[in-house]
Amino acid sequence: MFVFLIASCSESDDTSSSQDPENPAQESKLLAFKKPENSTSSIPTELIELNKTNGAETFLSNIDNVESFSSTVYDENDNVIFAISDRENQNGDYVSQLVRIELSDNSVTTFQLENVQVYSIILADNNRLLAFKKPENADASIPTKLIELNKSNGSETFLTNIDNVESFSSTVYDENDNVIFAISDREDQNGDYVSQLVRIELSDNSVTTFQLENVQVYSIILADNNRLLAFKKPENSDASIPTKLIELDKSNGTETVVSDITNVDSFSSTTYDAIENLIFAISDREDQNGDYVSELVRIELDTNNVTKFPLENVQVYNIALAK
């Protein structure tokens, strides 16, 4: 299953949902990666656009010679999607590639990342492409370094060590404060997974963690008025299905319930549409044939109304808003 950052959520956020009538904002396009129909593989083979009002898809381009994506982000300055693609090398170790997709012509370029594995790419200050790197030749997926990736060739520059955190399930960049927020999950003394909010100050690379009250959350999002939102699963539950949308205090991790979320399954990807003040998410469920299929979930933050659109018996990943 893929976790997006937005992607998700990692592009520079326009925190205003209003538009200047004389200079209307360009409407964003909702893109996604689609796996082959009736395939057990999770490797995406098509880039598609999803209609934001009904989930209908439009084919854009084939995606060849990549493996499953673990993270994607949209670079508005260059009109490019960057993604991390992981594959198994000859030694049986997973290594990463940086994938660059030019939306002007849908061309795809890949750069091998020096036999290492990275996670959670982020566009940060001055449009830098950052990522978290796990130890070389390590079985653990715990990130230990924050690095910058060269967008033209994939070469890396070390920025800082990351200590005392577990694997990240979601990351987002706060442009206002020049901070990366991440969700780090760990196993407590009872064997339950609980979450921490991780705050990384890019001004000095300091790291602070806040325990999130013995609960597990997913898919943090920077939304209107620069609020940090997240989806929360039921306490003491084995299910990973989110049941509440919450706001997290960025200074201490305390939560405020925004809305109940009903009748959805676990989210594999989320993104925020600042122009319309909407959250879009991909929710996966098992159909009557035992195959996993996707739904597009649309959450209107002005009313907290939730609408779902089945995506034609296919499974998609890593939604991203582009221009």
Coordinates of all heavy atoms in Angstrom, one line a residue, residues 13-79:
D13 N 1.8 24.9 0.1 CA 0.4 25.1 0.3 C 0.0 26.6 0.1 O 0.5 27.4 0.8 CB -0.1 24.6 1.6 CG 0.0 23.1 1.7 OD1 -1.0 22.4 1.4 OD2 1.1 22.6 2.1
D14 N -1.0 26.8 -0.7 CA -1.7 28.1 -0.8 C -2.8 28.1 0.3 O -3.8 27.4 0.1 CB -2.2 28.4 -2.2 CG -3.1 29.7 -2.2 OD1 -3.1 30.4 -1.3 OD2 -3.7 29.9 -3.3
T15 N -2.6 28.8 1.4 CA -3.5 28.7 2.5 C -4.8 29.5 2.3 O -5.7 29.4 3.2 CB -2.8 29.1 3.8 OG1 -2.4 30.4 3.7 CG2 -1.7 28.2 4.1
S16 N -4.9 30.2 1.2 CA -6.1 31.0 1.0 C -7.1 30.2 0.1 O -6.6 29.8 -1.0 CB -5.8 32.3 0.4 OG -7.0 33.0 0.0
S17 N -8.3 30.1 0.4 CA -9.3 29.4 -0.4 C -10.1 30.4 -1.3 O -10.9 30.0 -2.1 CB -10.3 28.6 0.4 OG -11.0 29.4 1.3
S18 N -9.8 31.7 -1.1 CA -10.5 32.7 -1.9 C -9.8 33.0 -3.2 O -8.6 32.8 -3.3 CB -10.7 34.0 -1.1 OG -9.5 34.6 -0.8
Q19 N -10.5 33.6 -4.2 CA -9.9 33.9 -5.4 C -10.1 35.4 -5.7 O -11.2 35.9 -5.4 CB -10.4 33.1 -6.6 CG -10.2 31.6 -6.4 CD -10.7 30.8 -7.6 OE1 -10.8 31.4 -8.7 NE2 -11.1 29.6 -7.4
D20 N -9.1 36.0 -6.3 CA -9.3 37.4 -6.8 C -10.1 37.4 -8.1 O -9.6 36.7 -9.1 CB -7.9 38.0 -7.0 CG -8.0 39.4 -7.5 OD1 -9.0 39.9 -7.9 OD2 -6.9 40.1 -7.5
P21 N -11.3 38.0 -8.2 CA -12.1 37.9 -9.4 C -11.4 38.4 -10.6 O -11.6 38.0 -11.7 CB -13.3 38.7 -9.1 CG -13.1 39.3 -7.7 CD -11.9 38.8 -7.1
E22 N -10.4 39.3 -10.4 CA -9.7 39.9 -11.6 C -8.5 39.0 -12.0 O -8.0 39.1 -13.1 CB -9.2 41.3 -11.3 CG -10.4 42.2 -10.8 CD -10.2 43.6 -11.3 OE1 -9.1 43.9 -11.7 OE2 -11.1 44.4 -11.2
N23 N -8.1 38.1 -11.0 CA -7.0 37.2 -11.3 C -7.3 35.9 -10.7 O -6.8 35.4 -9.7 CB -5.7 37.7 -10.7 CG -5.2 39.0 -11.3 OD1 -4.8 39.1 -12.4 ND2 -5.3 40.1 -10.5
P24 N -8.3 35.2 -11.3 CA -8.7 33.9 -10.8 C -7.6 32.9 -10.7 O -6.8 32.8 -11.7 CB -9.9 33.5 -11.7 CG -9.6 34.2 -13.0 CD -8.9 35.5 -12.6
A25 N -7.6 32.1 -9.7 CA -6.6 31.0 -9.6 C -6.9 30.0 -10.6 O -8.0 29.7 -10.9 CB -6.6 30.4 -8.2
Q26 N -5.8 29.4 -11.2 CA -6.0 28.3 -12.1 C -6.5 27.1 -11.4 O -5.9 26.7 -10.4 CB -4.7 28.0 -12.8 CG -4.8 27.0 -13.9 CD -3.4 26.7 -14.5 OE1 -2.4 27.3 -14.2 NE2 -3.4 25.9 -15.5
E27 N -7.5 26.5 -11.9 CA -8.1 25.3 -11.2 C -7.1 24.2 -11.3 O -6.5 23.9 -12.3 CB -9.4 24.9 -11.9 CG -10.1 23.7 -11.2 CD -11.4 23.3 -11.7 OE1 -11.9 24.1 -12.6 OE2 -12.0 22.3 -11.3
S28 N -6.9 23.5 -10.2 CA -6.0 22.4 -10.2 C -6.6 21.1 -10.7 O -7.8 20.9 -10.7 CB -5.5 22.1 -8.7 OG -6.6 21.9 -7.9
K29 N -5.7 20.2 -11.2 CA -6.1 18.9 -11.8 C -5.7 17.9 -10.7 O -4.7 17.9 -10.1 CB -5.4 18.7 -13.1 CG -5.7 19.6 -14.2 CD -5.0 19.2 -15.5 CE -3.5 19.2 -15.4 NZ -2.9 18.8 -16.7
L30 N -6.6 16.9 -10.6 CA -6.3 15.8 -9.6 C -5.8 14.6 -10.4 O -6.5 14.0 -11.2 CB -7.6 15.4 -8.9 CG -7.5 14.3 -7.8 CD1 -6.6 14.8 -6.7 CD2 -8.9 14.0 -7.3
L31 N -4.5 14.3 -10.2 CA -3.8 13.2 -10.9 C -3.7 12.0 -10.0 O -3.7 12.1 -8.8 CB -2.5 13.7 -11.4 CG -2.4 15.0 -12.3 CD1 -1.0 15.2 -12.8 CD2 -3.4 14.9 -13.4
A32 N -3.5 10.8 -10.6 CA -3.3 9.6 -9.9 C -2.6 8.6 -10.8 O -2.5 8.7 -12.0 CB -4.6 9.0 -9.4
F33 N -2.0 7.6 -10.1 CA -1.3 6.5 -10.8 C -2.2 5.3 -10.7 O -2.7 4.9 -9.6 CB 0.1 6.3 -10.2 CG 1.0 7.4 -10.5 CD1 1.2 8.4 -9.5 CD2 1.7 7.5 -11.7 CE1 2.0 9.5 -9.8 CE2 2.5 8.6 -11.9 CZ 2.7 9.6 -11.0
K34 N -2.3 4.6 -11.8 CA -3.3 3.4 -11.9 C -2.5 2.2 -12.1 O -1.6 2.1 -13.0 CB -4.3 3.7 -13.0 CG -5.3 2.6 -13.3 CD -6.2 3.1 -14.4 CE -7.1 1.9 -14.9 NZ -8.0 2.4 -16.0
K35 N -2.9 1.1 -11.4 CA -2.3 -0.2 -11.7 C -3.1 -0.9 -12.7 O -4.3 -0.5 -13.0 CB -2.2 -1.0 -10.4 CG -3.5 -1.6 -9.9 CD -3.3 -2.7 -8.9 CE -4.3 -3.8 -9.0 NZ -4.1 -4.9 -8.0
P36 N -2.5 -2.0 -13.3 CA -3.3 -2.7 -14.4 C -4.6 -3.3 -13.8 O -4.6 -3.8 -12.7 CB -2.3 -3.8 -14.8 CG -1.0 -3.3 -14.4 CD -1.2 -2.5 -13.1
E37 N -5.7 -3.3 -14.6 CA -6.9 -3.9 -14.1 C -6.7 -5.4 -14.0 O -6.0 -6.0 -14.8 CB -8.0 -3.6 -15.1 CG -8.3 -2.1 -15.1 CD -9.5 -1.7 -16.0 OE1 -10.4 -2.6 -16.1 OE2 -9.5 -0.6 -16.6
N38 N -7.4 -6.0 -13.0 CA -7.3 -7.5 -12.8 C -5.9 -8.0 -12.6 O -5.6 -9.1 -13.0 CB -8.0 -8.2 -14.0 CG -9.4 -7.8 -14.2 OD1 -10.2 -7.6 -13.3 ND2 -9.8 -7.5 -15.5
S39 N -5.0 -7.2 -12.1 CA -3.6 -7.6 -11.9 C -3.3 -7.6 -10.4 O -3.8 -6.8 -9.6 CB -2.7 -6.6 -12.5 OG -1.3 -6.8 -12.1
T40 N -2.6 -8.6 -10.0 CA -2.2 -8.7 -8.6 C -1.0 -7.8 -8.3 O -0.6 -7.6 -7.1 CB -1.8 -10.2 -8.2 OG1 -0.8 -10.6 -9.1 CG2 -3.0 -11.1 -8.4
S41 N -0.4 -7.3 -9.3 CA 0.8 -6.4 -9.1 C 0.3 -5.0 -8.7 O -0.8 -4.5 -9.0 CB 1.5 -6.2 -10.5 OG 2.5 -5.2 -10.4
S42 N 1.1 -4.4 -7.9 CA 0.8 -3.0 -7.4 C 1.6 -2.0 -8.2 O 1.7 -0.8 -7.8 CB 1.1 -2.8 -5.9 OG 2.5 -3.1 -5.6
I43 N 2.3 -2.4 -9.3 CA 3.1 -1.5 -10.1 C 2.2 -0.6 -10.9 O 1.4 -1.1 -11.7 CB 4.1 -2.3 -10.9 CG1 5.1 -3.1 -10.1 CG2 4.9 -1.3 -11.9 CD1 6.0 -4.0 -10.8
P44 N 2.3 0.7 -10.8 CA 1.5 1.6 -11.6 C 1.9 1.6 -13.1 O 3.1 1.6 -13.4 CB 1.7 3.0 -11.0 CG 3.1 2.9 -10.4 CD 3.3 1.5 -10.0
T45 N 1.0 1.6 -14.0 CA 1.3 1.6 -15.4 C 0.7 2.8 -16.2 O 1.0 3.0 -17.4 CB 0.8 0.3 -16.1 OG1 -0.6 0.2 -15.9 CG2 1.5 -0.9 -15.5
E46 N -0.2 3.5 -15.5 CA -0.8 4.7 -16.2 C -0.9 5.9 -15.3 O -1.1 5.7 -14.1 CB -2.2 4.3 -16.7 CG -2.3 3.2 -17.7 CD -3.7 2.9 -18.2 OE1 -4.6 3.6 -17.7 OE2 -3.9 1.9 -18.9
L47 N -0.7 7.0 -15.9 CA -1.0 8.3 -15.2 C -2.3 8.8 -15.7 O -2.5 8.8 -16.9 CB 0.1 9.3 -15.5 CG -0.1 10.8 -14.9 CD1 -0.1 10.7 -13.4 CD2 0.9 11.7 -15.5
I48 N -3.2 9.1 -14.8 CA -4.6 9.4 -15.2 C -5.0 10.7 -14.4 O -4.4 11.1 -13.4 CB -5.6 8.3 -14.8 CG1 -5.7 8.1 -13.3 CG2 -5.3 7.1 -15.6 CD1 -6.8 7.1 -12.9
E49 N -6.0 11.4 -15.0 CA -6.6 12.5 -14.3 C -8.0 12.1 -13.8 O -8.8 11.4 -14.5 CB -6.8 13.7 -15.2 CG -7.4 14.9 -14.5 CD -7.5 16.2 -15.3 OE1 -7.0 16.2 -16.5 OE2 -8.2 17.1 -14.9
L50 N -8.4 12.4 -12.5 CA -9.6 12.1 -12.0 C -10.5 13.3 -11.9 O -10.1 14.4 -11.5 CB -9.5 11.5 -10.5 CG -8.8 10.2 -10.4 CD1 -8.6 9.9 -8.9 CD2 -9.5 9.1 -11.1
N51 N -11.8 13.2 -12.4 CA -12.7 14.3 -12.3 C -13.1 14.5 -10.8 O -13.5 13.5 -10.1 CB -14.0 13.9 -13.0 CG -15.0 15.0 -13.1 OD1 -15.5 15.5 -12.0 ND2 -15.4 15.5 -14.3
K52 N -12.9 15.7 -10.3 CA -13.1 16.0 -8.9 C -14.5 16.0 -8.4 O -14.8 16.0 -7.2 CB -12.4 17.3 -8.5 CG -10.9 17.3 -8.7 CD -10.2 18.5 -8.1 CE -10.4 19.7 -8.9 NZ -9.7 20.9 -8.4
T53 N -15.5 16.0 -9.3 CA -16.9 16.0 -8.9 C -17.5 14.6 -9.0 O -18.6 14.4 -8.5 CB -17.7 17.0 -9.7 OG1 -17.6 16.6 -11.1 CG2 -17.1 18.4 -9.5
N54 N -16.9 13.7 -9.8 CA -17.6 12.4 -9.9 C -16.6 11.2 -10.0 O -17.0 10.0 -10.1 CB -18.5 12.3 -11.1 CG -17.8 12.6 -12.4 OD1 -16.6 12.4 -12.6 ND2 -18.5 13.1 -13.4
G55 N -15.3 11.4 -10.0 CA -14.3 10.4 -10.0 C -14.0 9.8 -11.3 O -13.2 8.8 -11.4
A56 N -14.6 10.3 -12.4 CA -14.4 9.7 -13.8 C -12.9 10.0 -14.1 O -12.3 11.0 -13.8 CB -15.3 10.4 -14.8
E57 N -12.3 9.0 -14.9 CA -10.9 9.1 -15.2 C -10.7 9.5 -16.6 O -11.4 9.1 -17.5 CB -10.2 7.8 -14.9 CG -10.5 6.6 -15.8 CD -9.7 5.4 -15.5 OE1 -9.9 4.8 -14.4 OE2 -8.9 5.0 -16.4
T58 N -9.5 10.1 -16.9 CA -9.1 10.4 -18.2 C -7.6 10.0 -18.3 O -6.8 10.3 -17.5 CB -9.1 12.0 -18.5 OG1 -10.4 12.4 -18.3 CG2 -8.6 12.3 -19.9
F59 N -7.3 9.1 -19.3 CA -6.0 8.6 -19.5 C -5.0 9.7 -19.9 O -5.4 10.5 -20.8 CB -6.0 7.5 -20.5 CG -4.6 7.1 -21.0 CD1 -3.9 6.2 -20.2 CD2 -4.1 7.6 -22.2 CE1 -2.6 5.8 -20.6 CE2 -2.8 7.2 -22.6 CZ -2.1 6.3 -21.8
L60 N -3.9 9.8 -19.3 CA -2.9 10.8 -19.7 C -1.7 10.2 -20.4 O -1.2 10.6 -21.4 CB -2.4 11.7 -18.5 CG -3.5 12.5 -17.8 CD1 -2.9 13.3 -16.7 CD2 -4.2 13.5 -18.8
S61 N -1.1 9.2 -19.7 CA 0.2 8.6 -20.3 C 0.4 7.2 -19.7 O 0.0 6.9 -18.5 CB 1.3 9.6 -19.9 OG 2.5 9.0 -20.3
N62 N 1.2 6.4 -20.4 CA 1.7 5.2 -19.9 C 2.9 5.5 -19.0 O 3.7 6.4 -19.3 CB 2.1 4.2 -21.0 CG 0.8 3.6 -21.7 OD1 -0.1 3.2 -21.0 ND2 0.8 3.7 -23.0
I63 N 3.1 4.7 -18.0 CA 4.3 4.8 -17.1 C 5.0 3.5 -17.2 O 4.5 2.5 -16.8 CB 3.9 5.1 -15.7 CG1 3.0 6.4 -15.6 CG2 5.2 5.2 -14.8 CD1 3.7 7.6 -16.0
D64 N 6.2 3.5 -17.8 CA 7.0 2.3 -18.1 C 8.2 2.2 -17.2 O 8.8 3.2 -16.8 CB 7.4 2.2 -19.5 CG 6.2 2.3 -20.5 OD1 5.2 1.6 -20.2 OD2 6.2 3.0 -21.5
N65 N 8.6 1.0 -16.9 CA 9.9 0.7 -16.3 C 10.1 1.3 -14.9 O 11.2 1.8 -14.5 CB 11.1 1.2 -17.2 CG 11.0 0.6 -18.6 OD1 10.8 -0.6 -18.7 ND2 11.2 1.4 -19.6
V66 N 9.0 1.3 -14.2 CA 9.1 1.7 -12.7 C 8.4 0.7 -11.9 O 7.6 -0.1 -12.4 CB 8.4 3.1 -12.5 CG1 9.1 4.2 -13.3 CG2 6.9 3.1 -12.8
E67 N 8.8 0.7 -10.6 CA 8.2 -0.2 -9.6 C 7.2 0.6 -8.8 O 6.9 1.7 -9.2 CB 9.3 -0.8 -8.7 CG 10.4 -1.6 -9.5 CD 9.9 -2.8 -10.1 OE1 9.0 -3.5 -9.6 OE2 10.5 -3.2 -11.2
S68 N 6.6 0.0 -7.8 CA 5.6 0.6 -7.0 C 6.2 1.9 -6.4 O 7.3 2.0 -6.0 CB 5.1 -0.3 -5.9 OG 6.2 -0.8 -5.1
F69 N 5.3 3.0 -6.3 CA 5.7 4.2 -5.8 C 5.5 4.3 -4.3 O 4.4 3.9 -3.8 CB 4.9 5.4 -6.4 CG 5.3 5.6 -7.9 CD1 4.4 6.3 -8.7 CD2 6.5 5.2 -8.4 CE1 4.7 6.6 -10.0 CE2 6.8 5.4 -9.7 CZ 6.0 6.1 -10.5
S70 N 6.5 4.8 -3.5 CA 6.3 4.9 -2.1 C 6.0 6.4 -1.7 O 5.6 6.7 -0.6 CB 7.5 4.4 -1.3 OG 8.7 5.2 -1.7
S71 N 6.3 7.3 -2.6 CA 6.1 8.7 -2.3 C 6.1 9.5 -3.6 O 6.8 9.2 -4.5 CB 7.2 9.2 -1.4 OG 7.1 10.6 -1.1
T72 N 5.2 10.6 -3.7 CA 5.2 11.5 -4.8 C 4.9 12.9 -4.4 O 4.4 13.2 -3.3 CB 4.0 11.1 -5.8 OG1 2.8 11.1 -5.1 CG2 4.2 9.7 -6.4
V73 N 5.4 13.8 -5.2 CA 5.2 15.2 -5.0 C 5.1 16.0 -6.3 O 5.8 15.6 -7.3 CB 6.3 15.8 -4.0 CG1 7.6 15.8 -4.8 CG2 5.9 17.2 -3.5
Y74 N 4.3 17.1 -6.3 CA 4.2 17.9 -7.5 C 5.0 19.2 -7.4 O 4.9 19.9 -6.4 CB 2.8 18.3 -7.8 CG 2.6 19.2 -8.9 CD1 2.9 18.9 -10.2 CD2 2.0 20.5 -8.7 CE1 2.7 19.8 -11.3 CE2 1.9 21.4 -9.7 CZ 2.2 21.0 -11.0 OH 2.1 22.0 -12.0
D75 N 5.9 19.5 -8.3 CA 6.7 20.6 -8.4 C 6.1 21.6 -9.4 O 6.2 21.5 -10.6 CB 8.1 20.3 -8.9 CG 9.1 21.4 -8.9 OD1 8.6 22.6 -8.8 OD2 10.3 21.2 -9.0
E76 N 5.4 22.6 -8.8 CA 4.7 23.6 -9.6 C 5.6 24.5 -10.5 O 5.3 24.8 -11.6 CB 3.8 24.5 -8.7 CG 3.0 25.5 -9.5 CD 2.0 26.3 -8.6 OE1 1.9 26.0 -7.4 OE2 1.5 27.3 -9.1
N77 N 6.8 24.8 -9.9 CA 7.7 25.6 -10.7 C 8.1 25.0 -12.0 O 8.2 25.7 -13.0 CB 9.0 25.9 -9.8 CG 8.7 26.9 -8.7 OD1 7.6 27.2 -8.4 ND2 9.8 27.4 -8.1
D78 N 8.3 23.7 -12.0 CA 8.8 23.0 -13.2 C 7.7 22.2 -13.9 O 8.0 21.6 -14.9 CB 10.0 22.1 -12.9 CG 11.2 22.9 -12.4 OD1 11.4 24.0 -12.8 OD2 11.9 22.3 -11.5
N79 N 6.5 22.2 -13.3 CA 5.4 21.3 -13.8 C 5.8 19.9 -14.0 O 5.7 19.2 -15.0 CB 4.9 21.9 -15.1 CG 3.5 21.3 -15.5 OD1 2.7 20.9 -14.6 ND2 3.2 21.2 -16.8

